[in-house]
């Protein structure tokens, strides 16, 4: 057998070794990528808080508003990413965002604008066509959510926690969260943050209940919440005797007037407060007149973090108005 090492054979050997080396490197990269993706902590729907400026709302000051939200520690520890987005008629990403439940708050307005010889309120368009919750429903659902974690539901402003129930829920929620899975010290810290989250949510519920009850004593011109009967606008704008008209008539019959939006322009403010118009105003407008804040409802997708929307609303009232100053 001719085993003599020649220049040709050496060249072939090196070529084969190079190919094998490249294959090994590619396999290693793929394996490392798989391990990284499998072990990385992915954000859930609730851990991402997304708010939107409607097409008619100015969003040019969002960088400052986003920082303001963070500075005020608006959300619990488990909300990891907070982002705002201005929608445009040319490139409206809302349908896509809603389809993957990446929506929490809509900042829109109530002005009647002529459209096809009909009067259309932007807020009503969203309430009729999107997964928008009434504030009353959000508060009611939030109370049901915290009930297992609270000893006395009659005192939500300063709640006493059922710590065992809180811990059990925390362990269940964080079973696949790499922040707390492998480190007992981090887990203990996380549990403390979880208790603070429940306490803060209870306070937000109490504050919203107070504001809703207060609203009932005020004249319509001063009410802080926008009331509407869902499907009224879309029903009125259907052609007579059409199948859609009949369908919305049936839907409308099952609805009642509820409070859907927080009216930013009705906040009672003073020099010690932030000016609402700095962050909430219509395109081309100079103040917050007719601006309203709506909350999306994706409770099934984010059962523990749905009620961060209440925290957003109470923050707006506290920082821009005086209504909660004595709470």
């Amino acid at each position: 057998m001719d085993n003599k090492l020649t220049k040709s054979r050496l060249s072939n050997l090196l070529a084969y070794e190079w190919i094998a080396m490249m294959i090994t490197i590619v396999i290693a990269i793929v394996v490392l990528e798989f391990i990284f993706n499998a072990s990385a902590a992915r954000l859930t729907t609730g851990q991402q808080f997304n708010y939107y400026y409607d097409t008619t709302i100015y969003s040019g000051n969002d960088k400052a508003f986003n920082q303001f939200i963070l500075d005020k520690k608006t959300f619990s520890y488990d909300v990891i990413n907070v982002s705002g987005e201005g929608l445009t008629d040319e490139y409206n990403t809302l349908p896509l965002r809603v389809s993957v439940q990446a929506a929490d708050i809509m900042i829109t307005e109530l002005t009647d604008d002529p459209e096809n010889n009909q009067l259309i309120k932007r807020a009503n368009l969203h309430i009729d066509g999107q997964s928008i919750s009434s504030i009353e429903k959000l508060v009611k659902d939030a109370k049901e959510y915290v009930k297992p974690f609270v000893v006395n539901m009659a005192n939500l402003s300063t709640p006493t926690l059922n710590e065992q129930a809180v811990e059990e829920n925390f362990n269940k929620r964080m079973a696949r969260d790499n922040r707390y899975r492998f480190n007992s010290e981090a887990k203990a810290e996380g549990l403390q943050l979880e208790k603070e989250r429940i306490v803060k949510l209870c306070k937000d519920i109490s504050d919203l209940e107070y504001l809703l009850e207060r609203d009932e004593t005020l004249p319509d011109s001063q009410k802080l919440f926008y009331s509407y009967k869902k499907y009224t606008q879309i029903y009125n704008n259907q052609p007579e005797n059409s199948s859609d008209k009949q369908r919305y008539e049936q839907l409308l019959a099952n609805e009642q007037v509820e409070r859907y939006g927080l009216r930013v322009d009705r906040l009672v403010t003073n020099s010690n407060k932030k000016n609402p118009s700095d962050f909430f105003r219509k395109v081309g407008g100079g103040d917050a007149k007719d601006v309203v804040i709506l909350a999306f409802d994706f409770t099934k997708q984010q059962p523990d973090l749905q009620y961060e929307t209440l925290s957003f609303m109470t923050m707006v009232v506290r920082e821009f108005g005086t209504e909660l100053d004595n709470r």
Side-chain angles (χ1 to χ4, degrees), residues 44-53 66 69 75 79 81-85 94 97-98 100-107 294-296 298 302 308-309 312:
T44 65
T45 299
Q47 289 174 324
Q48 305 174 74
F49 193 94
N50 302 285
Y51 60 94
Y52 298 92
Y53 301 88
N66 191 281
I69 291 172
F75 305 115
V79 174
N81 182 64
V82 179
S83 65
E85 181 179 344
L94 187 63
R97 302 287 192 266
V98 170
V100 293
Q101 300 87 45
D104 294 281
I105 288 290
M106 170 60 67
I107 304 169
L294 308 177
F296 288 90
F298 292 114
Q302 49 183 16
E308 300 288 339
T309 52
F312 184 95

Side-chain angles (χ1 to χ4, degrees), residues 50-103:
N50 302 285
Y51 60 94
Y52 298 92
Y53 301 88
D54 204 354
T55 56
T56 57
I57 300 296
Y58 177 71
S59 62
N61 209 17
D62 179 61
K63 184 176 181 180
F65 182 54
N66 191 281
Q67 188 60 52
F68 182 71
I69 291 172
L70 299 177
D71 290 344
K72 291 302 175 181
K73 296 179 170 55
T74 302
F75 305 115
S76 73
Y77 76 101
D78 209 19
V79 174
I80 298 172
N81 182 64
V82 179
S83 65
E85 181 179 344
L87 304 174
T88 65
D89 289 326
E90 293 77 20
Y91 187 63
N92 191 332
T93 61
L94 187 63
L96 176 61
R97 302 287 192 266
V98 170
S99 70
V100 293
Q101 300 87 45

Side-chain angles (χ1 to χ4, degrees), residues 106 123 126-128 130-134 230 260 294-297:
M106 170 60 67
H126 293 294
I127 297 169
D128 287 349
Q130 305 287 356
S131 298
I132 301 294
S133 175
S134 72
K230 188 172 184 177
Y260 280 94
L294 308 177
F296 288 90
D297 185 0

Side-chain angles (χ1 to χ4, degrees), residues 247-303:
R247 181 165 64 90
Y248 283 114
E249 183 177 20
Q250 294 173 354
L251 292 172
L252 186 61
N254 295 322
E255 297 293 331
Q256 59 185 0
V257 175
E258 295 187 73
R259 287 172 281 192
Y260 280 94
L262 174 66
R263 293 201 58 155
V264 180
D265 61 342
R266 296 278 176 85
L267 290 169
V268 178
T269 189
N270 59 36
S271 59
N272 296 322
K273 300 291 181 175
K274 281 283 187 181
N275 184 351
S277 301
D278 288 345
F279 303 114
F280 309 109
R281 64 179 184 269
K282 289 180 289 185
V283 173
D287 57 39
K289 180 174 172 53
D290 295 321
V291 175
V292 63
I293 295 173
L294 308 177
F296 288 90
D297 185 0
F298 292 114
T299 306
K300 291 181 179 179
Q301 291 77 21
Q302 49 183 16

